[in-house]
Amino acid sequence: MTPSSAALDTHTHAYTALRPRLFGIAYRMLGSRADADDVLQDAWLRWHRTDPTTVQSVEAWLVTVVTRLSIDRLRAAKAEREAYVGWWLPEPLVAPDEATPEAAAELASDLSLAFLWVLERLSPDERAAFLLRQVFDHDYAEVAALLGKSEAACRQMVHRASQRVQQERPRFEVPKDAHRRLLQKFVQAARSGEREAIKALLSDDVQVIGDGGGKVPSFLHVVRGADRIANLYWAAAKRHAQDDWVYRMAQINGEPGLLRYLNGRLESAQAFVSDGEQILAIYAVRNPDKLAGITSPG
C-alpha cells in the first residue's frame, strides 16, 4: 500500500525530529560523519518506502534500522581499519568554541575522541549493545529486540563492554572552564616554543595518538612521556616562525580542543584529556580527509 501524502508529511517531520538522536547512534557506532550520514540516508529511503500507518513506533523502527545498518557498515569497516596506515581515530565533530552546538544530541556526553577510541576495541554487537543501554538508556528488552538477541546475551555483552570501557577510559570529570584554561596555557607555551613551559603542563606519562592516514607524516606508535612530547611541540615551534602557527580553540566532539593551522592551512585537530591541572593524553587527527569539512579561521 502506498503511504498517503499526509501520512508521509507527518512522518517526515517525525524523522526530522529524530535525526539528531539517529545521527548520535550512527556516529558513535562508526566514528565517521560521512558514514553516519550514509546510514541515515539509507534509513530515510527505507522509511520513505514504508507505510507509516503500519508502524507502531516511529522511533523504535528508525532506531532499529539505523542500529542494524551501522552494525553492518562497522563490520565492513573493521577490515579497512585493520589495513589503515598508523592509528585510526574518529573524524572529529568541530564547532566554534563559543558557538551553540548544531544539535544537542550530536555533541552530548560520551562523544569524546578518547571515549570513541576505547569503543574501537569492542565488537560491532558489543558496541551497539553498550551504546544503546549506557548512552541512549534503552532497557535490555529493547536492546535485545533491536539486536535480535536474548536479553541474557545483551546483558553479558553490556557487562563485558562496560568493564573494558571502565578500564581504559579517562577517569576524570573536569569542568570545561578548567579544561579551557589549561589549553590556553598550553597554546601560549607551544607557540613560544618554551620546552620547560610545555613540559610543566604535561603529566609524566602523557601520551599522543596521531592519525595521518598514511597521507601526512604522523606517529605509527603511541608516543609517551612528557619529555618526548614537549620536544615534539618545541621542535614544531622552532621549525617555523611563530606567526606561521595559529592555534584556535574549538569544541571537538563536545569538549574544548585545538585546531592548529600552519601558514593558514589546517594541520590538525587536537583533542585533550586532562585532570584539570595537567594534560594526560592528546588525540591529534591529521588525516586531511578527516579535516576537509572543518572551516578555516577568518
Side-chain angles (χ1 to χ4, degrees):
M1 181 184 297
T2 303
S4 69
S5 296
L8 280 175
D9 237 18
T10 298
H11 287 280
T12 296
H13 291 310
Y15 175 88
T16 301
L18 288 168
R19 193 183 187 286
R21 182 178 184 85
L22 300 175
F23 180 89
I25 293 170
Y27 175 77
R28 285 174 176 84
M29 281 291 296
L30 300 166
S32 163
R33 177 186 286 277
D35 285 345
D37 285 339
D38 285 346
V39 163
L40 264 61
Q41 178 66 16
D42 196 351
W44 163 250
L45 292 174
R46 295 185 185 207
W47 173 238
H48 189 71
R49 294 193 296 264
T50 300
D51 183 351
T53 63
T54 66
V55 176
Q56 185 175 4
S57 168
V58 177
E59 180 173 359
W61 192 96
L62 286 168
V63 168
T64 299
V65 170
V66 166
T67 300
R68 290 177 178 172
L69 288 172
S70 296
I71 289 173
D72 290 343
R73 187 170 286 257
L74 184 57
R75 284 174 178 154
K78 283 288 187 182
E80 297 174 8
R81 293 176 189 179
E82 287 173 3
Y84 195 80
V85 177
W87 297 107
W88 187 94
L89 288 175
E91 177 187 352
L93 299 179
V94 176
D97 189 42
E98 299 302 329
T100 300
E102 60 186 13
E106 290 187 19
L107 298 179
S109 61
D110 288 330
L111 191 59
S112 69
L113 291 192
F115 178 65
L116 296 181
W117 164 261
V118 174
L119 293 188
E120 282 295 304
R121 276 85 189 134
L122 306 179
S123 72
D125 283 349
E126 283 178 333
R127 188 165 178 164
F130 176 81
L131 288 171
L132 289 169
R133 174 62 187 153
Q134 302 292 66
V135 176
F136 293 98
D137 203 30
H138 288 268
D139 61 36
Y140 281 106
E142 292 173 317
V143 175
L146 283 166
L147 299 182
K149 298 181 181 295
S150 68
E151 285 191 45
C154 289
R155 287 180 184 275
Q156 189 175 33
M157 283 195 296
V158 172
H159 177 70
R160 285 199 306 264
S162 297
Q163 286 184 318
R164 186 71 181 271
V165 169
Q166 287 170 6
Q167 288 171 359
E168 297 191 30
R169 74 181 303 185
R171 292 175 172 81
F172 299 96
E173 295 292 335
V174 179
K176 287 187 178 181
D177 286 345
H179 193 98
R180 189 178 288 106
R181 285 194 297 271
L182 178 60
L183 293 190
Q184 288 168 343
K185 293 179 183 177
F186 182 77
V187 167
Q188 292 174 353
R191 289 193 74 244
S192 68
E194 296 179 14
R195 186 161 24 195
E196 290 305 312
I198 298 169
K199 183 179 174 182
L201 298 171
L202 305 174
S203 68
D204 290 341
D205 57 352
V206 63
Q207 63 179 19
V208 168
I209 299 166
D211 175 354
K215 300 188 176 186
V216 296
S218 192
F219 314 117
L220 297 180
H221 305 284
V222 176
V223 180
R224 292 184 171 87
D227 281 323
R228 294 183 67 190
I229 293 169
N231 282 340
L232 290 174
Y233 282 90
W234 170 81
K238 294 304 178 186
R239 279 197 302 268
H240 300 274
Q242 189 176 96
D243 289 344
D244 291 345
W245 291 110
V246 173
Y247 287 84
R248 188 179 74 172
M249 299 285 291
Q251 290 287 325
I252 297 180
N253 285 50
E255 297 185 342
L258 298 175
L259 300 179
R260 185 166 76 169
Y261 296 82
L262 178 59
N263 295 320
R265 183 169 184 169
L266 181 60
E267 179 264 351
S268 61
Q270 302 183 11
F272 295 78
V273 177
S274 82
D275 60 7
E277 298 294 331
Q278 291 184 309
I279 293 166
L280 310 179
I282 304 171
Y283 296 83
V285 179
R286 301 195 66 232
N287 185 335
D289 292 343
K290 297 181 181 181
L291 302 177
I294 299 173
T295 305
S296 296

